[in-house]
Amino acid sequence: MLAAQLPQPGEIRVNPKDQQRYVWIPPGSFILGCSRSDFECDADESPAVDVEISKGFWMGRTSVTVAAWQRYAKALDIEMPDEPTYFERPLNPGWGIGEQPITDVDWQDAAEFCAAAGLRLPTDAEWEYAARAGVKESVYGDLDSTAWFADNSGKRTIKSQAIWSASHDAYNEVLKDNENGPHPVAQKKPNAWGLYDMLGNVWQWTADWYLPDYYKNAARRDPQGPADGRYKTLRGGSWYIYPQGVRLSNRNFFVPTVKNDSIGLRCAGNF
């Protein structure tokens, strides 16, 4: 493909297979890991390393929505995931809000959806590169304006970091009583490349296995993650998490079979 024919950064295209909008992420280089100005990083976000993403790719403009998953399930004649609940409180009764992000899908479910769309899950490095969109700080804008997280995803604003630090049990009770939960996608401001909810709303599965010290030995060009492992890496934070977890370099991990009311996905690749 000639350079003149390449899409422009942030260009939007609809994928006919899943009918979702995708944004073009250009190739480039960035610093993967803890931002220099960030003093809240965990050990697994270091050392920060210079990484090249050598090929451009399309990235879901939003997390995969309930409506997109409903089309997918209907086409394959499969059941929808269990409806999400938080301490028995329904978060999307009957999957009635189609623009909410899909949740309660494990890593294999997510990978199979992306494959059916002719795509794949993004690598850990691709995810952070796309989320940063050139930003070197820990976030790509004021959190309240760009992300749904524990402080703002309920009926009233709370100081979730202080509550979490005081008592994990109290934290869950406060979020339950405050009716915190996921919100329809694309309600907050996007990043510079037009991606919505890269921080907050729901965690996003990536392709990579998780190792806490992976960055020490990661490839400097198109890193693909460890060869194997017990856990898969997730990115972005969620409606449930306190501010420290809603940062561009923050990494989370779960066994790939876990299904959770704050875990979703977005796809990447070329089509």
Side-chain angles (χ1 to χ4, degrees):
M1 182 180 291
L2 297 176
Q5 297 174 305
L6 286 174
Q8 296 298 305
E11 185 174 326
I12 298 171
R13 179 182 294 179
V14 174
N15 181 353
K17 290 186 177 180
D18 66 5
Q19 299 177 42
Q20 295 198 114
R21 290 178 172 83
Y22 286 79
V23 172
W24 178 251
I25 308 301
S29 298
F30 78 115
I31 297 176
L32 172 67
C34 186
S35 304
R36 291 180 180 177
S37 60
D38 189 352
F39 300 102
E40 296 185 311
C41 296
D42 294 319
D44 64 355
E45 301 170 45
S46 297
V49 292
D50 290 304
V51 165
E52 178 190 0
I53 302 297
S54 67
K55 297 180 177 66
F57 58 95
W58 295 94
M59 185 88 159
R61 191 176 182 223
T62 69
S63 297
V64 173
T65 64
V66 168
W69 201 280
Q70 287 171 327
R71 292 190 294 267
Y72 167 70
K74 182 178 180 180
L76 295 183
D77 193 26
I78 59 175
E79 296 292 324
M80 286 289 290
D82 292 339
E83 295 169 21
T85 60
Y86 181 64
F87 288 95
E88 300 182 354
R89 177 172 59 84
L91 298 177
N92 192 353
W95 290 118
I97 306 175
E99 289 308 303
Q100 270 198 21
I102 193 70
T103 57
D104 281 317
V105 293
D106 65 22
W107 186 90
Q108 189 64 39
D109 294 333
E112 289 175 359
F113 176 93
C114 291
L119 298 165
R120 54 179 173 76
L121 291 171
T123 66
D124 184 54
E126 286 175 333
W127 187 96
E128 187 171 326
Y129 174 68
R132 286 187 177 280
V135 168
K136 296 181 180 179
E137 289 73 36
S138 61
V139 295
Y140 55 80
D142 170 67
L143 273 187
D144 197 50
S145 299
T146 57
W148 294 111
F149 62 113
D151 283 19
N152 68 5
S153 65
K155 292 187 300 182
R156 59 184 176 83
T157 300
I158 61 174
K159 297 294 185 181
S160 61
Q161 194 89 47
I163 299 167
W164 175 265
S165 298
S167 169
H168 295 187
D169 290 337
Y171 185 87
N172 289 323
E173 287 298 320
V174 169
L175 265 61
K176 178 184 177 182
D177 293 342
N178 197 39
E179 299 182 10
N180 288 66
H183 288 252
V185 300
Q187 300 298 300
K188 295 289 187 176
K189 293 179 181 178
N191 73 3
W193 283 335
L195 296 171
Y196 289 90
D197 303 317
M198 290 300 281
L199 293 176
N201 218 5
V202 294
W203 290 102
Q204 299 158 48
W205 287 114
T206 74
D208 289 20
W209 291 105
Y210 173 84
L211 283 179
D213 60 352
Y214 172 65
Y215 290 175
K216 291 180 181 179
N217 301 307
R220 299 304 189 256
R221 188 181 192 203
D222 301 321
Q224 299 298 302
D228 54 32
R230 180 181 177 187
Y231 305 104
K232 287 290 186 178
T233 304
L234 300 97
R235 288 303 205 105
S238 77
W239 62 266
Y240 171 87
I241 205 71
Y242 42 84
Q244 184 184 359
V246 192
R247 297 177 298 105
L248 292 166
S249 62
N250 185 43
R251 304 169 73 206
N252 196 4
F253 57 93
F254 280 108
V255 293
T257 54
V258 74
K259 297 183 179 185
N260 188 286
D261 53 35
S262 63
I263 296 177
L265 70 143
R266 80 176 70 206
C267 304
N270 285 285
F271 61 94

